[in-house]
Amino acid sequence: MSGIRTGGNGRSGAPGNGNGNSSSTGSGTGTGTGTGTGGHRALVWRGLPERPGAAVLVLHGGQEHSLARPGPVNLAGLRMAGFVHALRRETEGAGVAVGTVRYRHRGWNGERADAAKDAIAALDDLAEELGPVPTVLVGHSMGGRAALRVAGHPVVTGVVALAPWCPAEDPCEQLADRDVLMLHGDLDRVTSPAGTRAFAARGRAAGARVCGYTVLGTGHTLMRRINDWHRATARLSAGLLGLRDLPPEAATAFALPSHSTAALDLPLPRYPRTAPPAERPSRPLPTDA
């Protein structure tokens, strides 16, 4: 494989102008200074190459209901720091911008869907700064729900959902023509593994290419087999961007017909520290779920 994918929807993967925002140019890791509606900046860059040709956005978990603002010590956000590090390491030198979504509120808050609104704002800012670069969303728990909800955004080509919160009433039509990888621990008692599998089947029926993994022996916090969670997420995200081959089982799952319910409960293999080098291009949620 040789180059960043544009996805199956025909969107351009041309690099952006590399300007970013004033505090995150080059290979910096600072947060942006721009602000969105109401003075809130949803997009925070964690790694921004000079001329990005693709992007990954990471969305952390939250609560079912809370209008409180996330504090400076945010366990759900800190949980994703290792994922950001793994993603940056995996995509180093490949022209991939890595960012996180900063929420205005801790909760989803029913029909308000606040986390999804912030995700849309971050994607709009990303598209304005970088252009229509192919973008993968990585979301945990409530962040997984938000990532799946906003996958219809024009720049999104794929989603990696980690122990996502998937209510039966959530829509799937926005996933059409997207690549979706869903990972859930079999010991999760916060969000439902069965709910994830049901959502994955509905997503495939709606036109998404879907592969589902069960991370055996793990629960909702992702702490057990944490290295497998980190490495799998980074390498699968790179695969969705075309920087490395997807695992054979994922490629096979993506090729299955829309009515198939196969390959939605595959055991996630152990991910060793070393891997073949990636090809480089020229039920209700508790607090801080």
Side-chain angles (χ1 to χ4, degrees), residues 46 56-61 75-91 98-100 138-141 160-163 183 215 219-237 268:
R46 304 301 183 182
V56 181
L57 281 188
V58 178
L59 300 89
H60 66 73
L75 177 60
L78 291 173
R79 180 178 293 127
M80 304 309 290
F83 289 91
V84 170
H85 176 74
L87 286 160
R88 292 191 63 194
R89 182 176 55 200
E90 178 68 26
T91 60
V98 179
T100 55
V138 174
H140 172 240
S141 194
V160 181
L162 312 174
L183 290 69
V215 190
H220 192 71
T221 66
L222 315 181
M223 294 306 296
R224 296 181 182 176
R225 294 184 61 182
I226 187 61
N227 290 330
D228 288 334
W229 281 103
H230 286 166
R231 294 167 190 160
T233 298
R235 294 173 193 171
L236 291 172
S237 296
L268 185 78

Side-chain angles (χ1 to χ4, degrees), residues 183-187 213-219 224-225 228-229 265-268:
L183 290 69
H184 214 127
D186 62 328
L187 304 181
Y213 288 101
T214 295
V215 190
L216 296 171
T218 71
R224 296 181 182 176
R225 294 184 61 182
D228 288 334
W229 281 103
D265 189 18
L266 302 171
L268 185 78

Side-chain angles (χ1 to χ4, degrees), residues 147-236:
L148 293 164
R149 177 69 66 91
V150 306
H153 191 283
V155 302
V156 175
T157 59
V159 177
V160 181
L162 312 174
W165 178 20
C166 295
E169 67 271 16
D170 273 13
C172 292
E173 292 75 15
Q174 73 280 2
L175 298 175
D177 205 28
R178 300 319 193 254
D179 296 328
V180 180
L181 293 158
M182 307 186 77
L183 290 69
H184 214 127
D186 62 328
L187 304 181
D188 198 326
R189 299 296 181 265
V190 177
T191 56
S192 168
T196 291
R197 290 191 293 272
F199 187 91
R202 291 197 294 119
R204 184 179 285 170
R209 294 173 289 274
V210 185
C211 180
Y213 288 101
T214 295
V215 190
L216 296 171
T218 71
H220 192 71
T221 66
L222 315 181
M223 294 306 296
R224 296 181 182 176
R225 294 184 61 182
I226 187 61
N227 290 330
D228 288 334
W229 281 103
H230 286 166
R231 294 167 190 160
T233 298
R235 294 173 193 171
L236 291 172

Side-chain angles (χ1 to χ4, degrees), residues 17-80:
N17 58 20
N19 290 336
N21 57 61
S22 59
S23 66
S24 299
T25 55
S27 59
T29 60
T31 62
T33 58
T35 55
T37 302
H40 176 75
R41 169 76 176 185
L43 174 61
V44 181
W45 291 119
R46 304 301 183 182
L48 186 59
E50 186 176 354
R51 288 182 57 81
V56 181
L57 281 188
V58 178
L59 300 89
H60 66 73
Q63 301 176 33
E64 183 180 14
H65 300 291
S66 176
L67 293 176
R69 295 184 65 86
V73 179
N74 177 5
L75 177 60
L78 291 173
R79 180 178 293 127
M80 304 309 290

